[in-house]
């Protein structure tokens, strides 16, 4: 590397650090604080440089917040991640701070970072190094849950709203699919080459003739060129013995959970580059049973108590089995899906796992976070590790 290039990089790093310092100095915490939870009375500093998918900083911070921790997020040197829309959302966490924990009681503060060599020398409660190789994490590892999409959470308190009411609703739709199904984004890549799964677009294509397409409402407004409907439009065009999906229109983020709660089952197909997709978490939170081909990649693995599981070539049979399922069995699976969410995917469940890891003898070990560029780099030997784990 030439001297000029090294100098430009150093100057860029210095500018980023300076800009991040200015953002931290000007930040004023949002009123209030985190809800009661396992982390109540404690704080956490989240100092991540590698945030390849921009929303991950918010989802990790929000999960710790829901668990009861006062959240500090560092704007240096990765200041760009607190200036995008998800970073701005992170800054609205009630009681949250920007910085690396100066002013926090270090004895009651957990430091979470992907660059442990640069942790400030203070008597922290513990330092949790971050490892992005989520799919290669040991069975007993401390893992952060994959979360709902940031824009689905309530803007006021950053928690999913009215889950109890959504779970108690009468299910007027049998099987539902919502979300992006672009052939260009959801038909190839690591989901196929590394994880050995049929991706989203081909899966939905296998359901041609079985899924009923609900046309866009006549008066649907255009948002970014796409018609925007409501859960009521889905309910009006579907029945409990049908499998349906909107035909070229979308439901607003704020109403996504309400739409999911209309259905007994949701087709939870893989994401773009990794199996996990926000939709499977959102469905289970609402008590909607996922129909999925990657339940074995969930932590812990899904079972047929809370999910309809299928493998390649079997999605049509899985949807037909779901549609034929008696109401009592549907209700039992719905309840089990909600329990799975509360026990494994909620912020409170994560907080309990963190506190248990800190209370155990020895080092708490790394915190595994799903997604991000390092995960994709670590996928090269994943098939071999998966084969060993299942042997």
């Amino acid at each position: 590397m030439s001297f000029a290039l090294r100098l430009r990089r150093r100057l860029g790093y210095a500018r980023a650090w300076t800009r991040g310092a200015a953002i931290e100095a000007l930040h004023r915490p949002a009123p209030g604080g985190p809800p009661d939870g396992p982390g109540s009375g404690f704080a956490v500093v989240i100092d991540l440089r590698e945030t390849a998918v921009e929303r991950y900083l918010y989802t990790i911070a929000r999960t710790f917040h829901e668990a009861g921790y006062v959240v500090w997020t560092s704007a240096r040197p990765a200041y760009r991640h607190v200036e995008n829309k998800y970073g701005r959302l992170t800054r609205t966490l009630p009681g949250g701070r920007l910085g690396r924990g100066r002013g926090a009681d270090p004895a009651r503060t957990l430091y979470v970072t992907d660059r442990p060599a640069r942790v400030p020398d203070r008597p922290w409660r513990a330092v949790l190094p971050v490892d992005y190789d989520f799919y290669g994490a040991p069975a007993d590892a401390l893992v952060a849950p994959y979360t709902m999409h940031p824009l689905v959470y309530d803007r006021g308190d950053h928690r999913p709203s009215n889950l109890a009411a959504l779970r108690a609703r009468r299910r007027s739709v049998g099987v539902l699919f919502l979300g992006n199904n672009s052939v260009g984004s959801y038909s190839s890549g690591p989901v196929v080459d590394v994880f050995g799964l049929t991706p989203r677009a081909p899966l939905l294509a296998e359901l041609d003739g079985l899924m009923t397409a609900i046309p866009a409402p006549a008066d649907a407004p255009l948002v970014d060129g796409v018609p925007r409907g409501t859960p009521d439009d889905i309910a009006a065009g579907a029945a409990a013995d049908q499998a349906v999906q909107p035909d070229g229109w979308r439901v607003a983020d704020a109403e996504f959970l309400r739409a999911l709660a209309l259905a007994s089952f949701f087709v939870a197909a893989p994401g773009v580059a990794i199996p996990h997709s926000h939709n499977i978490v959102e469905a289970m939170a609402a008590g909607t049973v996922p129909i999925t081909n990657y339940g074995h990649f969930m932590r812990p693995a899904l079972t047929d108590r809370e999910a309809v599981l299928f493998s390649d070539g079997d999605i049509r049979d899985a949807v037909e089995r779901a549609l034929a399922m008696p109401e009592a069995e549907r209700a039992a699976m719905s309840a089990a899906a909600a329990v799975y969410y509360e026990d494994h995917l909620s912020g409170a469940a994560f907080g309990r796992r963190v506190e248990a890891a800190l209370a155990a003898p020895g080092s708490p070990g790394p915190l595994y976070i799903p997604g991000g560029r390092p995960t994709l780099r670590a996928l090269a030997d994943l098939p071999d590790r998966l084969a060993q784990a299942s042997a």
Side-chain angles (χ1 to χ4, degrees), residues 170-209:
R170 186 181 71 83
R171 309 278 162 160
S172 59
V173 179
V175 174
L176 176 65
F177 173 78
L178 292 174
N180 193 348
N181 190 32
S182 164
V183 173
S185 299
Y186 292 95
S187 59
S188 61
V191 165
V192 180
D193 301 334
V194 176
F195 295 97
L197 299 171
T198 302
R200 184 179 301 187
L203 282 179
L204 270 293
E206 290 183 36
L207 297 177
D208 284 351

Side-chain angles (χ1 to χ4, degrees), residues 31 55 64 99 112 115 144 195 200 207 236 258 271 309 311 356 369 372 375:
R55 59 183 176 267
F64 272 103
V112 175
R115 42 187 189 152
F195 295 97
R200 184 179 301 187
L207 297 177
R258 188 164 74 89
L309 306 172
S311 54
I369 294 178
T375 297

Side-chain angles (χ1 to χ4, degrees), residues 138-334:
D140 59 349
L142 177 61
V143 296
Y146 205 82
T147 70
M148 301 187 206
H149 193 281
L151 300 182
V152 172
Y153 291 107
D154 182 83
R155 296 283 70 79
D157 62 6
H158 299 265
R159 286 184 286 176
S161 299
N162 302 318
L163 288 185
L166 291 177
R167 295 166 183 170
R169 290 189 59 166
R170 186 181 71 83
R171 309 278 162 160
S172 59
V173 179
V175 174
L176 176 65
F177 173 78
L178 292 174
N180 193 348
N181 190 32
S182 164
V183 173
S185 299
Y186 292 95
S187 59
S188 61
V191 165
V192 180
D193 301 334
V194 176
F195 295 97
L197 299 171
T198 302
R200 184 179 301 187
L203 282 179
L204 270 293
E206 290 183 36
L207 297 177
D208 284 351
L210 184 58
M211 298 284 287
T212 299
I214 301 177
D219 58 349
L222 291 180
V223 180
D224 296 328
V226 179
R228 186 65 55 86
T230 71
D232 295 333
D233 297 316
I234 295 174
D241 62 349
Q242 286 185 308
V244 302
Q245 62 178 329
D247 184 11
W249 58 276
R250 297 179 184 174
V251 174
D253 297 316
E255 295 193 285
F256 200 82
L257 288 179
R258 188 164 74 89
L260 288 174
L262 293 171
S264 295
F265 302 93
F266 179 80
V267 179
V272 175
I274 59 176
H276 279 72
S277 170
H278 298 288
N279 294 163
I280 197 169
V281 181
E282 293 151 0
M284 299 183 84
T288 301
V289 178
I291 300 174
T292 187
N293 62 341
Y294 69 89
H296 54 299
F297 285 114
M298 298 288 284
R299 286 183 172 265
L302 295 179
T303 71
D304 56 10
R305 292 188 301 274
E306 64 276 324
V308 177
L309 306 172
F310 69 91
S311 54
D312 281 357
D314 294 334
I315 186 172
R316 197 175 186 92
D317 174 68
V319 171
E320 289 174 342
R321 282 189 286 118
L323 291 174
M325 193 175 294
E327 179 61 33
E329 191 173 349
R330 292 187 184 193
M333 292 192 73
S334 172

Side-chain angles (χ1 to χ4, degrees), residues 354-364:
V354 171
E355 291 302 308
L358 296 178
S363 169

